[in-house]
Amino acid sequence: MSAEAQLRADVDGLRLRAHAASARLANWASLGVSALLLWALQGTTPMPQLVAWSVVLAAVVVWRIVLPVVHRRAVPTPAALSGGAPGDGGPQRVAQRQWLRRYRLSIAAHGAVWGLAAWLPASLADTPLQASVVFMLVGLVVGAMTLTLFDLPAALLFAGPAVCLLLLRLALIGAPLPPVTVVALVMGALLMGMLGLAGRRADRARRSLATARRAERASTEGIRDAQALLQQVFDHAGQGISVFDRSERLLAWNDQVAALSALTPAVLRQGVTLEACVRDRVQHGPFSPDAQEAEVQRRLLELRCREPGVLRYGLADGQVVELRRNPLPDGGLVLFLADITEREASRRAADRQQRMLALVLERTEQGFWYIDNDLRTTDANPAMCRMLGLTRAQLLGRSIHDFVDAENRAIFDLHVARRAAGHAGGYEVALTRADGHQVHCFNNATPVFDAAGRKTGALGLFSDISAQKLAEQQVREAGEALAQKSNVLALTLDSLVQGVLNVDAQGRCTAWNSRFLELLDFPPDLMATQPLLTDLLQWQLAHEEFGDQLARMDDEGRASVTRGLPALLANLSQRYRRT
């Protein structure tokens, strides 16, 4: 359970106890006012209505009397009423909310019953009767809110139905209300408003009280468990811990201290001074006798510093130990010893990788451009600086919009919006160099997030594609020139009076002019398929282009012509290729 949920549980526990404690007084007050109301309504209300209303009120009162009794039996301990100990889970909290809803439901029903009291008289046109009913109901509502200020929603649940039903009955009279009724209603509204404000203040005070009680309970439990917790920390911390008092005498330590401090067993005992530990460590270190005293004083000066700090030293077996110094408020000292051999090795490996990455960024021809959320430059590698014709110092802090024209700014804005939505992607953009020339780039952009998942900027990987764009332009221009020449050639062929046909090595028709189609009467649709010469012959045979001469031949003659014409056309094709 979170801290806020625990606080709400404590506040609701206080409300539940207040409901259980105030129910008896509220019920007695309700019964007393009901007796007064029944006396005032004698002779103005039919007896069956009074009896029915009294029975309903009695049922609600019994409900409110029985509810705390059942609650105490179901939740017998004050700790459970107040939400339980810190760390209690969901089932207890669910039960607590259920009981709070039951109390509030009974109070709402109580308010509704009292609101129905305004409908008991056959008419409220009589001013004294009207004033009596209004004063009794307004007073009862104010009193109920006063008793229920510990739970403002419950107070409003009582006041809401009662006041709404009363106002509805008064509105149905159809005549102006007398001054005494208006004054009673206005005074009641003011009192309820003041009680609402007081209830909010009481709720804040109750939250403060719940917070203080929880803190007190946690403090008590912390004091009770401090020794056991300290021992567990000492035994399972995974690092050496030693505690010195304000006189610099050793109070407590764990087993890891002996291994990581390299102190002799005779020195590591309770009451030994910090100076004795330092001297033992120096005497077994690589120091000459003349230099030992200076080294002892230097280390003591570092350890006696009243600010937290970190020291590192190496052991004879190659271990690297980190010593964290944490001064205590009373003048004592806590030293933490940790074996950081692997961490140092990892750090050195990371440093090597960092240097390699820096070298790659330094030597690569791809531009790396880092920007923040305001689209301003935070870093750039040399290749990016060369693309823009600026030094890194000149580039830092400048907006990306400084390097594009209006057309390319629109491209930037489109993809910046995509980066803001967390999407990576690539696109082409033309950057304007410091000398005014444009360099065409392809940018692979990636949003950058911090450890909390917040976007901190973006990284752009820019590749200079100016040469590629130039080559594309040259290819495009060459294609346009070729298309223009082809068009001129087609116009030239169509202007000739002779029919022209071009055939490739496989006998396929690849080019012709319109005169050729006119002379041989070939349809354009047939030529559009680039047919073979044999296809043309078959088309002519099928359309009887040779007339009745072929028809007058016998079968052997027609077959000879059919076989000979392709050979003749192939021979012509071969001659055309040689020429």
Side-chain angles (χ1 to χ4, degrees):
M1 186 185 297
S2 64
E4 180 63 25
Q6 291 174 357
L7 179 59
R8 288 197 299 268
D10 285 349
V11 172
D12 288 344
L14 293 174
R15 287 172 176 166
L16 286 173
R17 283 193 284 177
H19 276 299
S22 64
R24 180 179 301 176
L25 179 59
N27 291 329
W28 279 113
S30 180
L31 293 175
V33 176
S34 66
L36 182 63
L37 178 66
L38 294 175
W39 175 78
L41 295 180
Q42 286 182 356
T44 63
T45 303
M47 185 58 64
Q49 294 184 16
L50 293 177
V51 172
W53 180 83
S54 300
V55 170
V56 174
L57 178 64
V60 173
V61 169
V62 171
W63 180 12
R64 296 194 64 185
I65 292 174
V66 172
L67 186 60
V69 177
V70 177
H71 184 203
R72 281 192 295 268
R73 291 178 179 177
V75 188
T77 62
L81 279 172
S82 63
D88 280 353
Q92 178 62 40
R93 177 72 178 130
V94 171
Q96 190 182 54
R97 286 195 295 265
Q98 289 176 348
W99 281 109
L100 192 59
R101 282 196 295 269
R102 291 165 186 165
Y103 276 110
R104 289 174 176 174
L105 181 61
S106 68
I107 291 174
H110 201 174
V113 172
W114 273 107
L116 292 174
W119 296 77
L120 290 176
S123 173
L124 282 182
D126 182 60
T127 299
L129 177 62
Q130 181 187 115
S132 300
V133 173
V134 169
F135 270 105
M136 279 188 285
L137 289 181
V138 169
L140 183 66
V141 168
V142 171
M145 289 189 67
T146 305
L147 284 175
T148 325
L149 279 182
F150 56 84
D151 189 2
L152 188 58
L156 296 176
L157 285 174
F158 182 92
V163 172
C164 290
L165 290 172
L166 172 61
L167 293 177
L168 181 61
R169 182 61 193 276
L170 293 176
L172 294 177
I173 293 176
L177 299 178
V180 64
T181 301
V182 175
V183 169
L185 292 175
V186 171
M187 291 299 295
L190 291 175
L191 288 173
M192 285 188 287
M194 295 174 63
L195 288 173
L197 294 176
R200 294 186 63 180
R201 292 184 178 180
D203 186 67
R204 288 195 294 268
R206 193 173 299 106
R207 289 175 66 90
S208 300
L209 177 60
T211 302
R213 287 186 176 181
R214 180 166 290 277
E216 180 182 359
R217 185 164 57 246
S219 177
T220 302
E221 293 174 353
I223 294 174
R224 183 177 62 248
D225 298 335
Q227 188 63 38
L229 179 60
L230 180 60
Q231 191 61 46
Q232 289 182 1
V233 170
F234 271 28
D235 294 339
H236 305 286
Q239 58 182 336
I241 304 176
S242 56
V243 182
F244 293 83
D245 62 14
R246 60 186 306 173
S247 301
E248 297 184 351
R249 294 188 176 274
L250 185 60
L251 292 178
W253 68 96
N254 62 357
D255 295 338
Q256 288 85 352
V257 171
L260 296 176
S261 65
L263 294 174
T264 58
V267 172
L268 194 59
R269 53 183 172 79
Q270 190 169 11
V272 67
T273 63
L274 178 63
E275 182 177 352
C277 294
V278 172
R279 287 188 179 279
D280 181 78
R281 179 74 181 85
V282 171
Q283 288 174 0
H284 293 84
F287 301 100
S288 63
D290 295 336
Q292 288 181 0
E293 185 61 28
E295 181 65 17
V296 169
Q297 297 304 321
R298 186 188 68 80
R299 294 192 181 189
L300 285 175
L301 183 63
E302 290 179 339
L303 294 174
R304 287 168 177 168
C305 179
R306 299 312 301 168
E307 295 294 332
V310 179
L311 304 174
R312 289 183 177 86
Y313 59 87
L315 299 180
D317 58 1
Q319 278 185 302
V320 181
V321 178
E322 180 181 79
L323 186 149
R324 289 187 174 272
R325 178 190 66 248
N326 289 324
L328 298 177
D330 63 353
L333 177 67
V334 179
L335 299 179
F336 296 92
L337 302 174
D339 183 358
I340 61 170
T341 306
E342 293 184 2
R343 192 176 77 187
E344 281 295 297
S346 299
R347 184 187 62 80
R348 288 192 294 269
D351 289 343
R352 289 194 297 270
Q353 292 179 353
Q354 186 69 23
R355 288 193 297 270
M356 184 179 300
L357 177 60
L359 182 62
V360 170
L361 293 177
E362 184 76 19
R363 301 297 177 86
T364 184
E365 288 301 318
Q366 191 173 34
F368 286 74
W369 197 355
Y370 300 87
I371 61 172
D372 59 16
N373 289 332
D374 296 327
L375 309 183
R376 297 194 173 275
T377 305
T378 59
D379 200 1
N381 71 336
M384 194 72 239
C385 296
R386 289 193 297 272
M387 285 186 194
L388 298 176
L390 296 173
T391 64
R392 182 176 178 274
Q394 293 172 328
L395 184 56
L396 292 180
R398 295 189 61 179
S399 172
I400 60 174
H401 291 149
D402 296 344
F403 303 98
V404 288
D405 56 17
E407 179 183 355
N408 289 281
R409 179 187 178 114
I411 297 175
F412 260 156
D413 291 342
L414 172 64
H415 289 277
V416 163
R418 293 179 179 176
R419 300 299 87 73
H423 303 297
Y427 58 94
E428 291 185 10
V429 66
L431 302 177
T432 303
R433 290 170 46 86
D435 57 10
H437 291 84
Q438 279 194 335
V439 54
H440 293 273
C441 300
F442 185 84
N443 178 26
N444 277 310
T446 304
V448 179
F449 301 91
D450 61 13
R454 295 184 296 266
K455 181 176 176 292
T456 60
L459 165 64
L461 277 65
F462 287 80
S463 300
D464 186 352
I465 59 171
S466 299
Q468 176 184 342
K469 299 296 286 187
L470 179 60
E472 290 176 357
Q473 181 180 359
Q474 292 174 347
V475 170
R476 185 168 55 253
E477 293 174 352
E480 292 174 355
L482 181 59
Q484 185 177 5
K485 292 179 179 179
S486 299
N487 188 37
V488 171
L489 179 60
L491 292 175
T492 302
L493 289 175
D494 287 339
S495 65
L496 296 176
V497 296
Q498 297 86 4
V500 177
L501 173 65
N502 182 69
V503 182
D504 63 11
Q506 286 74 36
R508 184 173 296 278
C509 303
T510 59
W512 57 90
N513 64 353
S514 57
R515 183 61 178 162
F516 172 78
L517 299 181
E518 293 174 0
L519 291 175
L520 297 181
D521 200 23
F522 286 127
D525 292 343
L526 174 63
M527 299 305 298
T529 62
Q530 292 188 340
L532 297 171
L533 288 175
T534 53
D535 296 332
L536 296 181
L537 175 60
Q538 293 298 327
W539 185 89
Q540 287 181 324
L541 292 174
H543 289 79
E544 298 181 351
E545 291 293 325
F546 296 101
D548 57 356
Q549 297 177 6
L550 188 62
R552 289 196 296 270
M553 294 181 181
D554 55 15
D555 293 341
E556 182 177 354
R558 286 196 297 272
S560 176
V561 171
T562 304
R563 290 192 301 270
L565 284 176
L568 177 59
L569 291 173
N571 185 33
L572 291 175
S573 175
Q574 293 293 333
R575 291 183 180 181
Y576 171 78
R577 288 203 306 274
R578 287 197 295 270
T579 57

